[in-house]
């Protein structure tokens, strides 16, 4: 997909996301109806219908693939775009599987749901989970079970916590170095 022009690949991926969501909602509609999910799985909170997925999935794919492509376009060293592509695909795959494991554990009623969910927050302290490939993978991995809206909210919360933790850690490290930037020595 990176070999194609950016706009063309974004359109293809967004269309694939829409087609997959149409198939998913068609299956849900013919097997008991399209469900709605309550926020935090609490019936007292508002419910969000899976019909919103027809809008959310293509827009999410369009926007986040564009972010990934913009980051790739800034790379100029020989072979850096290929390494970036491999790294971005690996990050996407790992978080897609993580979100899928969370969905599967939730559907099965397995007690590991809590560990998988809070493990995502813990892992976000060690990686830059605010990057587009992490958010996209996690949200799409959870979307089959929870629809698209709730996974986007969860992935965005994890991304925001990761960004805040890294920002805070960077500030603490700068203070520990006496306010100097890394690698710069002033006379």
């Amino acid at each position: 997909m990176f070999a194609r022009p950016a706009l063309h690949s974004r359109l293809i991926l967004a269309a694939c996301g829409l087609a997959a969501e149409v198939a998913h909602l068609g299956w849900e509609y013919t097997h008991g109806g399209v469900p709605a999910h309550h926020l935090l799985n609490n019936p007292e909170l508002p419910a969000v219908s899976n019909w919103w997925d027809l809008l959310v999935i293509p827009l999410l794919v369009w926007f986040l693939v564009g972010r990934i492509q913009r980051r790739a376009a800034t790379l100029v060293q020989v072979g850096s775009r290929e390494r970036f592509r491999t790294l971005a695909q690996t990050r996407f795959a790992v978080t897609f599987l993580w979100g899928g494991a969370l969905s599967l554990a939730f559907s099965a009623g397995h007690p590991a749901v809590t560990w998988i969910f809070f493990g995502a927050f813990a892992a976000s302290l060690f990686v830059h989970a605010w990057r587009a490939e992490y958010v996209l993978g996690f949200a799409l991995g959870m979307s089959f079970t929870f629809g698209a809206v709730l996974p986007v909210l969860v992935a965005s919360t994890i991304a925001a916590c990761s960004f805040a933790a890294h920002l805070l850690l960077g500030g603490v490290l700068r203070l520990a170095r006496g306010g100097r930037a890394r690698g710069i020595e002033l006379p």
Side-chain angles (χ1 to χ4, degrees):
M1 279 296 152
F2 284 99
R4 298 182 187 274
L7 181 62
H8 191 234
S9 62
R10 286 172 74 186
L11 282 172
I12 290 171
L13 291 173
C16 288
L18 179 62
E21 198 50 48
V22 166
H24 176 229
L25 289 175
W27 183 84
E28 284 183 341
Y29 185 77
T30 59
H31 288 82
V34 177
H37 304 280
H38 291 280
L39 297 173
L40 301 175
N41 203 24
N42 184 351
E44 295 176 3
L45 295 175
V48 179
S49 174
N50 278 5
W51 286 112
W52 280 102
D53 297 1
L54 290 173
L55 179 66
V56 173
I57 293 287
L59 289 176
L60 182 73
V61 170
W62 173 268
F63 178 71
L64 294 180
V65 168
R67 301 280 305 165
I68 295 167
Q69 289 174 339
R70 278 192 289 280
R71 279 189 21 237
T74 63
L75 302 173
V76 294
Q77 291 180 346
V78 176
S80 61
R81 287 190 185 177
E82 291 77 22
R83 286 190 304 273
F84 174 78
R85 184 184 73 208
T86 303
L87 188 59
Q89 289 172 348
T90 303
R91 290 172 176 165
F92 172 82
V94 167
T95 54
F96 182 83
L97 292 173
W98 196 308
L102 179 60
S103 296
L104 186 63
F106 181 84
S107 296
H110 197 276
V113 169
T114 305
W115 289 100
I116 297 170
F117 179 72
F118 288 113
F121 280 98
S124 74
L125 298 175
F126 300 103
V127 297
H128 297 168
W130 64 84
R131 294 208 170 131
E133 56 269 23
Y134 288 115
V135 174
L136 184 61
F138 194 73
L140 290 180
M142 291 176 57
S143 66
F144 185 75
T145 301
F146 298 106
V149 176
L150 295 179
V152 168
L153 291 174
V154 170
S156 299
T157 303
I158 292 170
C161 290
S162 175
F163 183 77
H166 281 84
L167 189 66
L168 181 64
L169 180 63
V172 169
L173 290 175
R174 277 191 298 281
L175 284 175
R177 286 192 303 257
R180 293 187 317 267
R182 183 179 14 194
I184 297 177
E185 293 295 329
L186 297 176

